[in-house]
């Protein structure tokens, strides 16, 4: 146990305790009666012990910021907080607390004179708190709220000063009632309910976003529940000129197997998308539409830097985006060609047609990172991708069950030992490819610094040279070599060790 004494520092304003190299010792701190002028108090990664009355944080009447991130026994500290009327920032993220005590949640009772009424920021991320008490709706001055697998109060319209709202949900996103009153919000994840509440005051449809014109980041999920495109138009996305990051998600329907769903729902989804009218200044767009029609137009965003396309089963072509830097395509099987993106640096392809992979080699780009995952019909990697993308630094191929090796180009059969033309490749990662047999000849690839191969059981038999002989490598991770050298039996990527270090 560490006991800190600061009795001579009666004018102390800022105090910080952090985890030491020795681990997580128990800590007690100065008697609150000695440091009552303290404004900022942070304890991170330590175990707190029981306090005497004069040590209680509740005695720090002038405290404005309290950070107890990653601490144990946090309940010892929070049980006497009712008198912290000046507290503006409370962070108990990643702590062991399971429930907020009454001293925190009984905030506006007459006898408490609105305890914690000045609270500006509340961070519960990483805690075990799964219910935010209804009394927290009285935190009228909250500007930042971070939740983690936690239910909200039934009504949030009293959080009128809220600017930043972030939460992680376990199963489904939160449906917010009264969100239209939070006109200062800058970031929001919102779900459209499948059945709207009849009362006009409690309408929680997509149209309730109409007055939130300060939004900079917005995710709308369950858009399949928007029945009338007019409601989507009333969301007024086109009027949100500060909006830079937008996510739009349509989910699966119960009538997925019905013969009638296609014409009705696909047409409505397209009308809803068109009615939303996102502003052209977007820099990040993520969209997932299960019933997307081939004519889906996601152009019109000249400032777009990041684009995420999920489950667009019938999308056949992409618009060119001159400033696009990151492109992620997941489960868009009808898309066969990637146009030229002159600024593209990162490309992630998951569950796509192999022809989409081959198209990458037809255009010279500034691509630096390429990740291929779960591409079932990909049997080989076309080497002309490396020739056309001379800036490529990282290539990762994962969970491609039919992937056997590397080929010269997309028109020729795979070759068991083509030369590795990746003059700039620094990291090559091959993972969970059960029939991978052939590596390219890496012996002249002096730019290669890291080679990782995991769970590719057929590869070892076909190697014609020892990969440890590649002296230019700084990091080498091979699960089969690690086992042979009796340096551990890796069951996942995190168990691999660098074989270039003895």
């Amino acid at each position: 146990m560490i006991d800190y004494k600061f009795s001579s520092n009666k004018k102390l304003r800022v105090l910080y305790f952090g985890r030491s190299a020795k681990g997580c010792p128990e800590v007690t701190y100065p008697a609150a009666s000695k440091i009552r002028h303290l404004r900022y108090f942070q304890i991170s990664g330590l175990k707190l012990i029981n306090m005497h009355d004069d040590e209680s944080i509740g005695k720090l009447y002038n405290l404005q910021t309290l950070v107890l991130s990653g601490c144990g026994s946090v309940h010892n500290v929070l049980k006497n907080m009712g008198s912290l009327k000046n507290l503006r920032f409370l962070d108990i993220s990643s702590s062991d607390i399971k429930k907020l005590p009454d001293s925190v949640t009984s905030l506006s009772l007459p006898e408490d004179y609105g305890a914690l009424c000045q609270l500006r920021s509340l961070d519960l991320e990483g805690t075990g708190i799964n219910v935010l008490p209804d009394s927290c709706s009285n935190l009228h001055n909250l500007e930042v709220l971070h939740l983690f697998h936690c239910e909200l109060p039934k009504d949030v319209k009293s959080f009128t000063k809220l600017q930043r709202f972030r939460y992680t949900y376990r199963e489904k996103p939160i449906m917010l009632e009264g969100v239209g009153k939070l006109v200062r919000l800058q970031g929001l994840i919102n779900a459209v309910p499948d059945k709207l509440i009849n009362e006009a005051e409690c309408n929680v449809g997509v149209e309730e976003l109409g007055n939130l014109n300060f939004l900079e980041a917005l995710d709308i999920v369950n858009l399949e529940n928007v029945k009338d495109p007019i409601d989507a138009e009333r969301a007024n996305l086109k009027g949100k000129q500060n909006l830079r990051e937008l996510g739009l998600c349509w989910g699966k329907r119960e009538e997925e197997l019905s013969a009638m769903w296609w014409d009705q729902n696909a047409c409505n989804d397209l009308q809803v998308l068109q009615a939303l009218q996102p502003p052209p200044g977007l820099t990040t767009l993520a969209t997932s539409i299960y019933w997307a029609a081939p004519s889906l137009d996601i152009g019109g965003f000249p400032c777009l830097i990041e684009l995420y396309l999920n489950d667009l089963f019938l999308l056949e072509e992409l618009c060119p985006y001159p400033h696009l830097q990151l492109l992620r395509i997941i489960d868009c099987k009808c898309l066969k060609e990637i146009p030229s993106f002159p600024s593209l640096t990162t490309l992630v392809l998951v569950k796509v047609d192999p022809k989409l992979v081959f198209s990458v080699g037809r255009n010279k780009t500034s691509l630096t990172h390429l990740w291929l995952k779960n591409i079932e019909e990909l049997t080989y990697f076309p080497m002309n991708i490396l020739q056309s993308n001379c800036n490529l630094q990282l290539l990762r191929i994962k969970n491609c069950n039919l992937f056997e090796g590397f080929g010269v180009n997309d028109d020729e059969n795979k070759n068991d030992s083509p030369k590795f033309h990746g003059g700039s490749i620094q990291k090559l990662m091959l993972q969970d490819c059960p029939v991978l047999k052939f590596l390219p000849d890496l012996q002249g690839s002096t730019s290669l610094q890291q080679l990782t191969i995991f769970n590719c059981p057929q590869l070892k038999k076909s190697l014609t040279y020892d990969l440890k002989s590649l002296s230019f490598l700084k990091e080498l991770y091979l699960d089969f070599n690690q086992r042979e050298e009796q340096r551990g039996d890796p069951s996942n990527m995190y168990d691999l060790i660098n074989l270039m270090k003895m």
Side-chain angles (χ1 to χ4, degrees):
M1 182 179 71
I2 300 176
D3 186 7
Y4 297 94
K5 301 297 184 182
F6 292 95
S7 57
S8 61
N9 292 291
K10 296 182 179 180
K11 296 184 179 180
L12 198 65
R13 297 292 189 273
V14 177
L15 185 57
Y16 168 74
F17 294 145
R19 183 192 298 269
S20 70
K22 296 180 179 180
C24 183
E26 291 184 337
V27 61
T28 183
Y29 34 79
S33 59
K34 303 294 185 181
I35 51 172
R36 289 187 177 179
H37 295 286
L38 203 64
R39 302 290 193 273
Y40 180 101
F41 193 14
Q42 177 172 350
I43 306 176
S44 297
L46 299 176
K47 183 178 180 181
L48 309 175
I49 65 172
N50 291 324
M51 298 160 292
H52 301 294
D53 185 63
D54 69 337
E55 293 174 339
S56 171
I57 285 180
K59 299 293 184 180
L60 300 173
Y61 303 119
N62 294 302
L63 197 63
Q64 298 178 1
T65 298
L66 177 60
V67 180
L68 304 173
S69 177
C71 289
S73 302
V74 172
H75 59 279
N76 291 331
V77 176
L78 298 184
K79 61 185 179 182
N80 296 312
M81 288 186 59
S83 57
L84 299 184
K85 294 183 292 185
N86 294 311
L87 194 66
R88 298 186 177 188
F89 184 100
L90 175 61
D91 181 352
I92 52 176
S93 61
S94 302
S95 65
D96 64 351
I97 190 168
K98 304 295 183 183
K99 180 181 178 182
L100 285 176
D102 292 339
S103 59
V104 176
T105 60
S106 300
L107 303 174
S108 293
L109 299 179
E111 61 267 28
D112 286 339
Y113 297 99
L116 297 184
C117 62
Q118 297 299 318
L119 196 65
R120 299 292 196 273
S121 177
L122 178 60
D123 189 343
L124 305 181
E125 192 163 356
T127 69
I129 298 173
N130 53 28
V131 176
L132 198 60
D134 289 339
S135 57
C136 282
S137 62
N138 294 316
L139 295 174
H140 303 294
N141 288 305
L142 265 187
E143 297 175 359
V144 179
L145 178 60
H146 293 175
L147 304 179
F148 183 81
H149 296 172
C150 180
E151 296 181 12
L152 274 176
K154 294 179 180 179
D155 198 337
V156 298
K157 65 176 179 287
S158 60
F159 296 157
T160 54
K161 295 184 180 180
L162 200 62
Q163 299 178 20
R164 298 284 180 181
F165 177 47
R166 185 178 78 233
Y167 67 92
T168 302
Y169 50 89
R170 182 175 283 109
E171 296 180 355
K172 59 182 180 180
I174 297 173
M175 180 185 70
L176 297 176
E177 298 180 21
V179 69
K181 303 293 185 180
L182 312 185
V183 294
R184 300 188 184 185
L185 269 183
Q186 298 173 11
L188 176 66
I189 301 173
N190 197 47
V192 181
D194 55 356
K195 293 183 180 179
L196 297 182
I197 300 173
N198 292 327
E199 299 178 26
E201 290 292 323
C202 298
N203 194 343
V204 289
V206 68
E207 66 274 17
E208 197 176 14
L209 304 176
N211 293 325
L212 307 185
N213 292 326
F214 289 96
L215 285 173
E216 299 173 4
L218 172 64
D219 284 286
I220 312 176
V221 301
N222 298 346
L223 277 165
E224 73 278 5
N225 294 326
V226 180
K227 307 303 181 185
D228 191 340
I230 294 179
D231 291 338
E233 186 175 350
R234 289 172 178 165
N236 190 32
L237 295 193
K238 64 180 179 181
K240 305 183 192 318
Q241 298 304 312
N242 294 323
L243 194 63
R244 295 295 178 265
E245 301 177 14
L246 176 63
L248 303 174
C249 182
W250 280 254
K252 292 184 178 179
R253 295 182 172 86
E254 294 180 358
E255 62 268 31
E256 176 181 355
L257 300 178
S258 170
M260 298 297 294
W261 68 264
W262 179 259
D263 291 336
Q264 298 174 354
N265 293 328
C267 180
N268 186 71
D269 288 345
L270 191 57
Q271 292 175 346
V272 168
L273 178 62
Q274 293 170 343
L276 285 172
Q277 301 182 55
L282 288 181
T283 59
T284 300
L285 173 63
T287 181
S288 174
I289 310 176
Y290 280 93
W291 328 112
S295 60
L296 176 65
D297 182 9
I298 51 176
F301 306 108
C303 300
L304 208 61
I305 296 176
E306 298 181 4
L307 178 61
Y308 303 84
L309 304 174
N310 297 358
D311 305 306
L312 306 184
F313 295 150
L314 297 179
L315 181 66
E316 295 181 349
E317 60 180 312
L318 291 177
C319 301
Y321 301 100
H323 302 293
L324 194 67
Q325 298 177 14
L326 187 154
L327 175 60
R328 187 178 71 186
I329 303 175
I330 300 177
D331 216 353
C332 302
K333 295 291 179 60
C334 287
L335 189 61
K336 304 294 196 301
E337 186 79 21
I338 291 181
S340 177
F341 295 116
S343 302
L344 191 67
T345 59
T346 301
L347 176 61
V348 180
L349 302 178
V350 183
K351 296 182 181 180
V352 298
D353 191 294
K355 292 181 181 179
L356 192 66
V357 178
F358 297 148
S359 73
V360 178
R362 289 197 272 272
N363 296 302
K364 292 185 180 296
T365 72
S366 54
L367 198 64
T368 60
H369 293 71
L370 176 60
W371 189 0
L372 310 178
K373 181 180 178 182
N374 291 110
I375 305 177
E376 288 294 331
E377 298 177 3
L378 182 68
T379 57
Y380 69 97
F381 180 85
M383 295 292 285
N384 65 341
I385 289 181
L386 303 181
Q387 297 169 332
S388 300
N389 298 276
C390 58
N391 295 315
L392 195 64
Q393 298 175 12
L394 181 146
L395 172 60
R396 184 173 186 180
I397 303 176
K398 179 180 179 181
N399 291 119
C400 295
N401 290 332
L402 300 181
F403 178 62
E404 296 185 19
F406 293 73
V408 175
N409 58 52
D410 56 323
D411 298 319
E412 300 182 19
N413 293 327
K414 55 184 176 294
N415 187 314
D416 60 354
S417 59
K419 292 293 183 181
F420 199 64
H421 298 290
S424 61
I425 286 283
Q426 298 177 13
K427 294 183 180 181
L428 175 60
M429 307 177 72
L430 306 171
Q431 179 182 352
D432 298 318
C433 298
V435 298
L436 175 61
K437 300 176 182 177
F438 308 113
L439 278 185
D441 186 354
L442 300 174
Q443 296 179 89
S445 303
T446 55
S447 65
L448 192 63
Q449 299 179 18
Q450 177 181 319
L451 175 61
T452 303
I453 300 175
F454 178 78
N455 197 23
C456 301
Q458 303 296 320
L459 184 60
K460 177 185 174 183
K461 303 175 184 177
S462 62
L463 288 176
T464 58
Y465 59 93
D466 185 1
L467 294 176
K468 293 183 70 173
S469 68
L470 302 176
S471 58
F472 46 80
L473 285 178
K474 295 180 179 179
E475 300 178 61
L476 177 62
Y477 303 95
L478 300 174
D479 56 344
F480 50 84
N481 266 37
Q482 186 170 324
R483 294 186 187 97
E484 286 180 351
E485 298 178 9
Q486 297 183 345
R487 302 175 69 178
D489 185 9
S491 59
N492 55 61
M493 292 279 287
Y494 300 103
D495 293 334
L496 293 174
I497 61 175
N498 184 5
L499 298 177
M500 300 304 287
K501 292 184 178 181
M502 300 301 293

